Amino acid sequence: MPKDWFEWHDLYKTDQRLQQRLEIVREYIAHSLNFSSPGVIRVVSVCAGDGRDLLGTLANHPRAQDVYARLVELHPQLVERGQATIESLGLTKQIEFINGDATIASNYLGAVPADIVIVCGVFGNLADENELNRLLRNLSFLSKPGAFVIWTRGHSHNIPHSETVRQSLQKAGFAEVNFKLTATGDMGVGIHRYLGESVAEPKEEQFFVFSGIANRAR
């Protein structure tokens, strides 16, 4: 089992579930780019890891030059790897990788509200449904009206946790665009659009608590 999040990301080399999840996430990011309005596309990624979902999509997408993004990740080695990828893509003037706490609202100032919000690998690392709803209430700070929100949620012990997320998103003012399970059947990936209005300031400076650990990630 991985001892930290840097080791956990190396599981993408061998874990079918993660590979399938990443493929769907990239499909939804590409869809969001395709259906974004002409001009600048602002993207934020929460708990971004090494950014392989967004950066892997931009490597071959015709609208890559329109994207201005901020990725926020606490693990410095993952940030270093992501920054190296950004440099290799020639996108250093458009994409910034913040080595900081993704739960803190001030790390997004100047980059939000965004057209695309990526919250992958987050919902399964919250303590409970109350913490999930707390995060969803604060997405109005990150999201423009009509923003695409892309998320993931793993299942465990035969409990379809992604269904809880889908219902909670609907209650929080997000309309579902699409949802897929991986072929393994135990990881859900969704894309929603925000129907509400943006807010200038978050409801709280720390808008969720990431309580997961790498060897129990889901």
Side-chain angles (χ1 to χ4, degrees):
M1 297 294 289
K3 72 176 188 297
D4 63 23
W5 290 106
F6 188 76
E7 285 192 0
W8 183 89
H9 278 75
D10 283 338
L11 294 176
Y12 277 102
K13 299 173 184 175
T14 57
D15 192 316
Q16 257 192 336
R17 300 174 309 151
L18 290 178
Q19 292 167 353
Q20 291 168 7
R21 185 181 83 168
L22 178 61
E23 182 179 355
I24 300 170
V25 170
R26 286 177 174 172
E27 174 191 334
Y28 287 169
I29 293 173
H31 173 92
S32 302
L33 295 171
N34 292 340
F35 285 90
S36 291
S37 300
V40 169
I41 304 171
R42 298 202 175 275
V43 182
V44 294
S45 182
V46 180
C47 299
D50 57 11
R52 68 180 62 205
D53 45 16
L54 176 62
L55 301 178
T57 307
L58 295 181
N60 298 298
H61 199 280
R63 296 206 63 186
Q65 296 300 320
D66 293 334
V67 171
Y68 285 76
R70 181 176 297 175
L71 291 71
V72 185
E73 168 58 45
L74 189 60
H75 198 294
Q77 287 177 284
L78 289 170
V79 174
E80 288 177 9
R81 189 155 68 184
Q83 287 174 328
T85 303
I86 292 168
E87 290 174 8
S88 71
L89 294 173
L91 296 173
T92 55
K93 294 182 179 180
Q94 300 168 231
I95 301 178
E96 55 180 339
F97 220 131
I98 301 295
N99 185 194
D101 188 343
T103 73
I104 302 301
S106 56
N107 282 323
Y108 302 92
L109 293 177
V112 295
D115 301 286
I116 301 172
V117 179
I118 302 169
V119 280
C120 294
V122 177
F123 294 159
N125 292 290
L126 305 178
D128 51 35
E129 194 170 335
N130 288 332
E131 194 65 19
L132 167 65
N133 289 326
R134 177 186 170 199
L135 171 53
L136 295 182
R137 286 194 301 271
N138 281 284
L139 284 182
S140 57
F141 166 65
L142 301 180
S143 308
K144 285 182 180 178
F148 292 96
V149 176
I150 300 160
W151 58 273
T152 63
R153 180 63 167 100
H155 296 179
S156 59
H157 307 296
N158 295 316
I159 300 172
H161 294 294
S162 59
E163 292 304 311
T164 300
V165 175
R166 295 170 79 183
Q167 293 169 16
S168 297
L169 279 162
Q170 183 178 12
K171 292 175 183 176
F174 296 83
E176 186 169 284
V177 177
N178 204 350
F179 173 82
K180 291 183 181 181
L181 284 174
T182 57
T184 56
D186 57 356
M187 284 195 174
V189 185
I191 176 171
H192 280 64
R193 295 200 82 165
Y194 180 50
L195 302 180
E197 295 296 322
S198 299
V199 296
E201 297 181 1
K203 293 181 172 62
E204 48 203 321
E205 171 62 4
Q206 184 175 31
F207 53 87
F208 70 100
V209 173
F210 188 95
S211 58
I213 55 176
N215 62 10
R216 295 183 183 177
R218 54 197 190 276

